[in-house]
Amino acid sequence: MKILVYAHTSDPHRQSEALRAALGVTLRGAEVDVVLASEPLTPLAQRAATTLQAFGHTVGSNLGEVLDRADVVEVWGPERKGVRATCPAADGRPERRTLHLVRPNHVVAEGAVADGDDVVYLEGADHDLLLARIFTADRVITW
Amino acid sequence: MKLGIVLATRADLATAAGLAHAARRARHEVVMFLMDAGVNAVAERPDIAIALLDDDCELTACSNSAVGLDLPDGIVRGSQDDHAAVLGTSDRVVALT
């Protein structure tokens, strides 16, 4: 399994938590890609990034390089208001249908939506209908 | 089918709970991992957490994030290994991080 943790925040605490989560999800053998919107902002974050790399996981800054290959994606953004990001499309996108869930005041990274993907805005969404779409998609990304 | 939910914000508690209850109505299994502000969110709204537990959702909180917080009985204080398990064993994962 390939997991992407995208720390899309300049808040030092949130970034540290994202990196702690990234370390955590390696514990059952998953491969992890981490994308940081900024350099590690705390010693804890730096240490986590170094540890991940020492164990062969990737820590980088190009979302487009790794988004398509992830089976599970955690986007760690600012809690209240999203930040615009870009995601240059990689060549040879896999045939995988992604459901993009968009929280209030957040946006999907530009370039992240591929042909055939589905985008749902969470504000006011019917959870029963949403659930059906979650299980018919191949993966879910919440922005 | 099994729905995994990772909650690490306060603002997304209602969405997490809404999806979890919808999944239970559809007879899916629900496992939820809480960390960072997601733990604060359930500590501040024990009624929502208890309703999830009563609906047979499995809730585990990162014990590191839960230090000093009162959590309803039934929420397991776990570790990041539980986070890895939620991602590794669920058919679909919704990460509200």
Side-chain angles (χ1 to χ4, degrees), chain B residues 51-66:
Chain B
L52 288 167
L53 293 165
D54 287 345
D55 207 6
D56 288 330
C57 298
E58 187 180 303
L59 274 67
T60 303
C62 171
S63 55
N64 190 64
S65 302

Side-chain angles (χ1 to χ4, degrees), chain A:
Chain A
M1 168 179 278
K2 193 83 173 177
I3 298 170
L4 166 62
V5 175
Y6 176 31
H8 181 41
T9 175
S10 57
D11 179 294
H13 171 76
R14 293 282 294 164
Q15 189 197 56
S16 288
E17 285 293 276
L19 280 157
R20 190 167 71 86
L23 271 177
V25 297
T26 67
L27 292 174
R28 296 209 175 189
E31 292 177 54
V32 175
D33 290 320
V34 175
V35 173
L36 299 176
S38 59
E39 292 297 308
L41 299 168
T42 64
L44 180 66
Q46 181 61 63
R47 196 162 57 245
T50 301
T51 303
L52 284 160
Q53 287 173 314
F55 282 96
H57 305 284
T58 71
V59 179
S61 59
N62 189 333
L63 182 62
E65 278 182 358
V66 293
L67 183 66
D68 290 337
R69 66 186 186 210
D71 301 302
V72 175
V73 180
E74 291 191 357
V75 179
W76 285 72
E79 187 165 353
R80 287 289 175 187
K81 189 176 170 75
V83 178
R84 194 166 293 279
T86 57
C87 173
D91 292 336
R93 284 195 140 143
E95 290 185 17
R96 170 157 46 196
R97 212 159 57 79
T98 301
L99 172 62
H100 300 267
L101 302 179
V102 187
R103 291 175 278 196
N105 300 315
H106 288 64
V107 293
V108 179
E110 189 180 323
V113 180
D115 290 344
D117 284 359
D118 201 3
V119 180
V120 173
Y121 291 85
L122 283 173
E123 190 160 26
D126 180 298
H127 292 128
D128 294 289
L129 295 176
L130 183 55
L131 185 77
R133 293 168 88 162
I134 287 170
F135 279 112
T136 53
D138 295 310
R139 65 175 184 174
V140 180
I141 303 176
T142 308
W143 300 94

